[in-house]
């Protein structure tokens, strides 16, 4: 059976996932050492959203033809071929949705830049259709949300075709400190298309790997701390982690409301900007979105400026360097390029509080996980197997062989032991987070050096996937922006032993327009991104 047919048949897919031993699910149908040759050339590889839109206007493409091409590509290389295992479920109505959008284009014209464009979304974003939303957990298999998350609704309103759901680090990587990013009980292990034995990073692992491999025009991920920018960096993508409040969190399986957000993952800054504009807006079901009034835009492509770095004052967050000599050299070379493009570089410009809020961040995440996940699961209704974090923990214990063959649920257990959000420990930890990441952190260093933004390496080359020991994250940047709830953009910067490395642009709340401007100018000058080669292992030559 082809991968697409497997994924389209939800009931059969669930039965197979439950029937197979965990080792088989994790390993997939083939392993990197069995790779004979890379997949054949694909005519949509590296094609941008604007180019797809031009093709539909000219009659070269239809939305239906694009959907069919991407589905065939998923058949060819996601479970078969290189077996990157990035798509957890295909939308069985994708073709009919595309056909309806083609008719609408002929009769009324296109709704906008996403009309007819196939997009994948992470499997923790609710869709009220024939697909499930499970966060990769077998505990939610068989249940369906009652309504779309606003993110999904906005995409549909923009005319995008939700092609399917992507695999992820189960429960967005909050179950255990010893997890393997990209592994879920339902979906198995996602692989990095640049080197199949390497990790795609997480938790938006499938969104990153699928977009890099050309299985969609672009994808949506979610982040609490690093889960958009790390897989974007590891898969040579542009990832935008917006200011918390710019994009609604309602209908997204939560970790922590003070840090959670969805964001675009794409092969170019332009494509990411198009997606971001479609996601913004006030949601009555998410009060924090009211803070985005007069601070958000429905079109972020207006900030794409090739000369956008001229005169920009950029600070170098040196404390995020030093974890890899080759990454340091790459970043230092790029700093020279930024100067050539007219940027004023302040070096160093470190966040003085870096590393001082790690413990308080975890404390807040554990408190909010219990409160937010319990609230979400109660709303899923009677068709779900679990209705609280406590019941998820019990489900995992009953299904230990399938759900916990490699790592446990230590973070879930710690979260369940927490009290309500009125407890002093929680309120003090949250206040500490905001003081150290905002007032005495990012805001302080920007003001002190009169900076427009800061830059740092997003992460190092991807580590080998290791189910025994878990992730081997080596270094990089994400936490200050994540804890502050401030925007962060990563852009492909280059390669170390053929493995992607990203550079981060980050700044104050609501500074997405500036960051997009700088990221685009950098991208256009360097053109660093190269498509994956689906190598069995890293190229050390």
């Amino acid at each position: 059976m082809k991968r697409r047919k497997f994924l389209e048949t939800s009931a059969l897919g669930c039965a197979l996932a439950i029937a197979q031993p965990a080792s088989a699910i994790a390993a997939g149908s083939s392993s990197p050492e069995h790779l004979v040759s890379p997949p054949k050339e694909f005519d949509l590889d590296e094609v941008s959203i604007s180019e797809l839109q031009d093709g539909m206007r000219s009659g070269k493409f239809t939305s239906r033809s694009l959907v069919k091409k991407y589905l065939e590509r998923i058949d060819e290389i996601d479970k078969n071929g290189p077996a990157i295992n990035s798509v957890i479920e295909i939308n069985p109505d994708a073709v009919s949705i595309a056909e309806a959008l083609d008719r609408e284009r002929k009769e009324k014209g296109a709704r906008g830049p996403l009309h007819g464009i196939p997009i994948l979304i992470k499997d923790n974003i609710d869709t009220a259709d024939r697909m499930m939303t499970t966060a990769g957990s077998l505990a939610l298999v068989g249940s369906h949300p009652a309504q779309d998350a606003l993110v999904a609704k906005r995409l549909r309103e923009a005319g995008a075709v939700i092609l399917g759901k992507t695999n992820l680090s189960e429960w967005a990587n909050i179950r255990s400190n010893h997890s393997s990013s990209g592994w879920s009980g339902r979906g198995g292990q996602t692989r990095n298309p640049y080197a199949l034995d390497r990790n795609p990073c997480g938790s938006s692992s499938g969104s990153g790997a699928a977009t890099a491999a050309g299985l969609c025009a672009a994808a949506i991920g979610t982040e609490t701390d690093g889960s958009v920018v790390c897989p974007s960096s590891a898969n040579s993508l542009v990832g935008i982690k917006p200011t918390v409040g710019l994009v609604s969190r309602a209908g997204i399986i939560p970790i922590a409301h003070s840090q959670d957000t969805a964001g675009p993952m794409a092969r170019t800054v332009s494509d990411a900007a198009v997606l971001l504009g479609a996601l913004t807006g006030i949601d009555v079901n998410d009060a924090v979105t009211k803070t985005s009034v007069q601070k958000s835009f429905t079109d972020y492509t207006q900030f794409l400026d090739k000369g956008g770095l001229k005169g920009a004052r950029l600070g170098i967050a040196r404390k995020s360097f030093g974890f890899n000599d080759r990454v340091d050299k790459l970043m230092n070379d790029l700093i020279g390029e930024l100067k050539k493009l007219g940027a004023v570089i302040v070096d160093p410009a470190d966040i003085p509080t870096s590393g001082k809020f790690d413990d308080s961040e975890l404390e807040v995440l554990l408190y909010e996980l219990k409160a937010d996940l319990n609230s979400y699961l109660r709303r899923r209704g009677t068709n779900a197997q679990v209705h609280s974090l406590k019941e998820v923990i019990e489900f995992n214990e009953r299904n230990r062989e399938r759900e916990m063959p490699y790592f446990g649920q230590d973070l879930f257990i710690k979260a369940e032991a927490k009290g309500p959000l009125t407890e002093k420990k929680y309120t003090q930890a949250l206040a500490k987070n905001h003081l150290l990441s905002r007032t005495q952190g990012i805001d302080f260093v920007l003001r002190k050096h009169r900076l427009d933004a800061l830059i740092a390496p997003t992460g190092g080359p991807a580590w080998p996937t290791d189910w025994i020991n878990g992730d081997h994250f080596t270094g990089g940047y994400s936490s200050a922006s994540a804890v502050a709830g401030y925007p962060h953009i990563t852009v492909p910067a280059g390669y170390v032993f053929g493995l992607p490395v990203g550079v981060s642009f980050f700044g104050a709340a609501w500074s997405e327009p500036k960051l997009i401007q700088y990221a685009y100018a950098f991208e256009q000058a360097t053109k660093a991104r190269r498509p994956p080669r689906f190598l069995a292992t890293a190229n050390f030559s």
Side-chain angles (χ1 to χ4, degrees):
M1 180 181 289
K2 285 191 174 183
R3 169 68 166 170
R4 175 157 58 92
K5 291 298 182 186
F6 171 83
L7 291 168
E8 281 180 350
T9 312
S10 297
L12 178 58
C14 299
L16 289 175
I18 292 170
Q20 292 184 53
S23 57
I25 297 172
S29 60
S30 63
S31 57
E33 55 267 31
H34 297 148
L35 180 61
V36 176
S37 60
K40 65 185 179 182
E41 290 187 10
F42 182 45
D43 60 351
L44 298 184
D45 267 345
E46 305 301 299
V47 177
S48 69
I49 288 174
S50 63
E51 289 169 331
L52 294 176
Q53 208 55 252
D54 289 342
M56 285 188 282
R57 276 192 292 267
S58 70
K60 179 181 179 181
F61 303 128
T62 62
S63 180
R64 183 184 189 277
S65 73
L66 293 178
V67 166
K68 296 286 282 184
K69 284 174 182 286
Y70 283 123
L71 291 178
E72 289 167 4
R73 188 65 166 175
I74 292 169
D75 277 345
E76 180 193 1
I77 71 172
D78 198 52
K79 196 68 174 179
N80 303 304
I84 60 173
N85 202 37
S86 62
V87 181
I88 204 167
E89 186 171 357
I90 288 293
N91 184 353
D93 300 313
V95 173
S96 61
I97 291 168
E99 290 171 344
L101 288 165
D102 286 332
R103 290 192 296 271
E104 182 181 328
R105 180 186 292 272
K106 287 182 180 179
E107 295 168 3
K108 301 178 182 178
R111 299 182 193 181
L114 284 176
H115 189 109
I117 301 294
I119 302 294
L120 286 168
I121 67 173
K122 190 174 177 180
D123 182 40
N124 62 347
I125 300 172
D126 284 353
T127 54
D129 52 20
R130 291 200 283 164
M131 292 187 291
M132 293 179 286
T133 304
T134 68
S137 172
L138 296 175
L140 288 177
V141 164
S143 73
H144 294 262
Q147 62 185 34
D148 279 348
L150 190 70
V151 165
K153 183 181 178 183
R154 285 275 193 265
L155 289 172
R156 296 191 207 274
E157 290 171 346
V161 180
I162 299 178
L163 190 63
K165 300 283 187 79
T166 55
N167 196 21
L168 68 160
S169 311
E170 187 176 305
W171 295 107
N173 232 357
I174 193 63
R175 202 185 83 186
S176 172
N177 264 320
H178 311 291
S179 64
S180 172
S181 287
W183 186 92
S184 71
R186 181 186 174 205
Q189 179 67 54
T190 298
R191 298 187 177 96
N192 190 311
Y194 286 85
L196 299 171
D197 63 345
R198 298 267 159 173
N199 199 270
C201 201
S203 63
S204 305
S205 313
S207 296
T211 305
L215 306 187
C216 56
I220 304 297
T222 66
E223 174 163 330
T224 306
D225 187 341
S227 289
V228 164
V229 295
C230 186
S232 294
S233 175
N235 290 279
S236 203
L237 297 177
V238 175
I240 302 179
K241 197 287 288 187
T243 303
V244 172
L246 187 66
V247 176
S248 173
R249 302 160 302 177
I252 298 175
I253 297 176
I255 292 179
H257 60 266
S258 63
Q259 295 181 207
D260 287 352
T261 182
M265 301 170 70
R267 293 181 289 271
T268 67
V269 176
S270 176
D271 286 356
V274 168
L275 265 182
L276 182 62
L279 301 179
T280 63
I282 307 301
D283 184 359
V284 295
N285 295 314
D286 186 358
V288 76
T289 58
K290 293 178 181 178
T291 61
S292 70
V293 173
Q294 297 184 332
K295 297 170 185 172
S296 68
F297 299 86
T298 56
D299 178 13
Y300 283 90
T301 64
Q302 63 183 297
F303 304 110
L304 303 175
D305 179 1
K306 289 184 179 181
L309 280 164
K310 189 174 182 179
R313 290 181 60 85
L314 304 178
I316 310 302
R318 279 286 166 191
K319 286 184 179 179
S320 295
F321 289 61
F323 59 88
N324 183 295
D325 290 344
R326 290 175 183 261
V327 172
D328 283 354
K329 183 182 185 309
L330 176 62
M331 291 295 143
N332 288 328
D333 290 345
L334 293 178
I335 290 168
E337 187 66 29
L338 291 170
K339 290 178 180 177
K340 290 179 185 177
L341 294 169
V344 178
I345 300 297
V346 178
D347 187 6
D350 282 314
I351 299 169
T353 55
S354 289
K356 295 180 179 179
F357 45 83
D358 293 350
D359 290 343
S360 58
E361 179 188 14
L362 180 58
E363 188 81 351
V364 167
L365 297 189
L366 295 176
Y367 268 99
E368 292 187 2
L369 171 64
K370 181 180 180 180
D372 296 353
L373 188 57
N374 283 346
S375 177
Y376 171 87
L377 290 173
R378 282 195 297 269
R379 293 194 301 272
R380 279 293 284 258
T382 56
N383 67 350
Q385 300 180 73
V386 292
H387 304 91
S388 67
L389 174 60
K390 182 176 183 291
E391 291 184 9
V392 174
I393 292 170
E394 291 169 350
F395 176 93
N396 291 341
E397 288 293 344
R398 290 195 306 272
N399 296 276
R400 176 171 284 274
E401 181 182 350
R402 294 176 292 149
E403 272 291 358
M404 299 192 292
Y406 308 115
F407 55 90
Q409 52 182 344
D410 48 291
L411 292 180
F412 270 9
I413 292 168
K414 288 177 181 178
E416 177 58 26
K418 296 298 181 185
L421 299 186
T422 53
E423 284 193 351
K424 193 173 182 179
K425 277 189 176 181
Y426 167 73
T427 57
Q428 287 181 333
L430 184 62
K432 180 180 178 181
N433 279 354
H434 290 166
L435 175 68
L436 296 183
S437 65
R438 296 175 181 176
T439 310
Q440 297 178 4
I442 293 174
D443 294 338
F444 171 82
V445 72
L446 291 175
R447 185 173 59 253
K448 177 182 177 181
H449 297 291
R450 295 180 293 110
L451 299 174
D452 295 300
L454 293 151
I455 64 173
T458 313
W463 57 89
T465 294
D466 183 350
W467 297 329
I468 296 173
N469 299 302
D471 289 338
H472 308 301
F473 183 72
T474 55
Y477 173 80
S478 70
S479 287
S481 296
V483 173
Y486 287 1
H488 176 183
I489 299 179
T490 183
V491 186
Y495 300 82
V496 172
F497 293 117
L499 298 170
V501 173
V503 60
S504 290
F505 294 81
F506 57 102
W510 315 110
S511 62
E512 284 86 354
K514 278 186 179 181
L515 300 182
I516 288 170
Q517 177 181 319
Y518 305 149
Y520 180 74
F522 171 82
E523 172 198 61
Q524 294 301 300
T526 58
K527 298 285 187 180
R529 175 177 161 80
R530 300 196 302 265
R533 295 168 57 198
F534 305 96
L535 300 178
T537 191
N539 180 6
F540 294 103
S541 60

